[in-house]
Amino acid sequence: MLFNTKEGSVKINDNSIDYVSFGRGKKPLVIIPGLSLNRVKGAGLSLAYMYRIFAKDYRVYVFDRKEIIKEGYTIKEIAKDTADVMKTLGISEAYVFGVSQGGMIAQYLAIDYPELVEKLVLGVTLSRRNETVKSVIEKWIRFAQSNDWESFVEDMLLKMYSPQYIKKYRRLIPLMIKLSKNTDLNRFIILAKSCLTCDVYEELHKITCPVLVLGGKQDKVVTGKASEEIAEKLGCEIYMYEELGHAVYEEAKDFNKRIYRFLQK
């Protein structure tokens, strides 16, 4: 199969977590995706293609959230679940890349389980809740609760993407609205609420591995300032995309290349 892609599931107590793995390298690279309407299961080939730059040098793992989740699920708990899966699969001293909500999880992972993280990349994320992310998440939750997926998709596009990107792909909005209606409503709301539980800023000094922060100056979801304050607190390498926002990981052609160069140092 393309890039030696495999899909699997790990049993954790009475629960399970789906994952995708690909690549032919030996060094583990763990990717923790952000809050999404989509699941990891069934997305193996698209994920392998999206992150194909890493396939030659790394064995890449992309983890979903656990299958059964309950109200009150926190970012810290998701990090523990991720650590449990890594330990079950025998993954340690990994390179870890977390984007958006995944970056929140990755910070807790590096703090609570330092033996699992050798290098860390944090993309368009935050270390503590701010008024911008609170407003955005609460608005998305209201749209989900009322089944107003048209408003949700339109607001998500406006908050995440540049005007140029929206103009280019606006014709796909009806398809996105149709697909979003198949989303597990309760699951999305619980995971969205968990974003507001991230509060690790005062513990960032516990992260001792090399860190790269990537952010967008025009970020309307977590703010560009959130990326900058993480880097300032850690005294680590940072690159900010001046003209792009939260979806910089999709829009910037050199985004994955920057991660690759950092990991190869």
Side-chain angles (χ1 to χ4, degrees):
M1 188 172 285
L2 183 68
F3 303 120
N4 196 25
T5 302
K6 297 179 180 179
E7 297 193 12
S9 181
V10 175
K11 295 290 184 181
I12 303 293
N13 298 320
D14 295 326
N15 218 319
S16 64
I17 294 180
D18 295 327
Y19 71 93
V20 166
S21 64
F22 62 89
R24 301 187 182 278
K26 293 183 179 180
K27 185 67 179 179
L29 168 59
V30 171
I31 297 177
I32 309 176
L35 176 68
S36 176
L37 298 176
N38 303 314
R39 301 292 297 273
V40 166
K41 187 175 182 179
L45 291 179
S46 61
L47 287 168
Y49 183 77
M50 181 177 182
Y51 295 110
R52 62 192 179 279
I53 189 174
F54 305 110
K56 179 181 177 182
D57 298 286
Y58 304 99
R59 185 62 186 172
V60 185
Y61 298 83
V62 185
F63 295 120
D64 206 339
R65 313 316 184 229
K66 65 184 180 182
E67 186 64 28
I68 302 170
I69 60 175
K70 297 180 180 180
E71 188 70 33
Y73 197 34
T74 67
I75 295 295
K76 188 177 180 71
E77 290 173 324
I78 302 174
K80 181 184 183 303
D81 293 335
T82 304
D84 288 344
V85 173
M86 290 176 67
K87 292 174 184 177
T88 300
L89 294 175
I91 301 171
S92 63
E93 298 181 326
Y95 293 162
V96 176
F97 164 47
V99 60
S100 191
Q101 186 190 55
M104 303 175 200
I105 298 163
Q107 290 170 81
Y108 277 99
L109 189 68
I111 290 168
D112 294 339
Y113 310 93
E115 72 280 3
L116 299 181
V117 184
E118 186 175 322
K119 281 189 176 183
L120 182 64
V121 180
L122 302 172
V124 288
T125 192
L126 50 71
S127 59
R128 56 184 175 183
R129 186 174 71 177
N130 57 49
E131 287 304 313
T132 298
V133 75
K134 181 176 181 292
S135 174
V136 170
I137 292 296
E138 288 179 348
K139 190 174 185 180
W140 289 352
I141 289 172
R142 288 196 300 271
F143 287 144
Q145 289 173 332
S146 60
N147 261 321
D148 189 355
W149 292 111
E150 182 173 351
S151 295
F152 170 78
V153 170
E154 290 182 355
D155 191 71
M156 180 197 68
L157 288 171
L158 289 172
K159 293 292 193 304
M160 291 184 61
Y161 295 92
S162 67
Q164 297 85 352
Y165 190 93
I166 295 173
K167 182 178 180 180
K168 184 177 180 180
Y169 293 102
R170 181 170 289 278
R171 65 185 183 280
L172 298 178
I173 292 178
L175 176 61
M176 293 175 67
I177 294 171
K178 183 178 180 180
L179 292 174
S180 68
K181 291 179 180 179
N182 297 322
T183 300
D184 183 333
L185 183 65
N186 188 57
R187 181 182 180 85
F188 174 80
I189 292 172
I190 291 172
L191 290 175
K193 288 180 179 179
S194 75
C195 291
L196 304 182
T197 70
C198 182
D199 187 13
V200 77
Y201 179 76
E202 297 299 338
E203 295 185 83
L204 287 177
H205 66 277
K206 296 179 182 178
I207 297 177
T208 57
C209 65
V211 182
L212 168 65
V213 174
L214 296 170
K217 281 279 191 179
Q218 310 307 316
D219 195 325
K220 298 176 183 177
V221 178
V222 301
T223 75
K225 182 181 178 181
S227 292
E228 293 170 339
E229 73 172 12
I230 291 173
E232 182 179 1
K233 186 79 168 179
L234 290 172
C236 69
E237 183 178 347
I238 181 173
Y239 185 84
M240 297 294 294
Y241 289 85
E242 294 289 333
E243 304 301 325
L244 296 177
H246 196 69
V248 62
Y249 55 91
E250 290 187 27
E251 293 195 57
K253 294 180 180 180
D254 66 343
F255 190 85
N256 288 340
K257 291 179 181 178
R258 289 185 179 277
I259 298 172
Y260 180 82
R261 289 197 295 266
F262 171 74
L263 298 181
Q264 288 286 304
K265 287 183 180 178

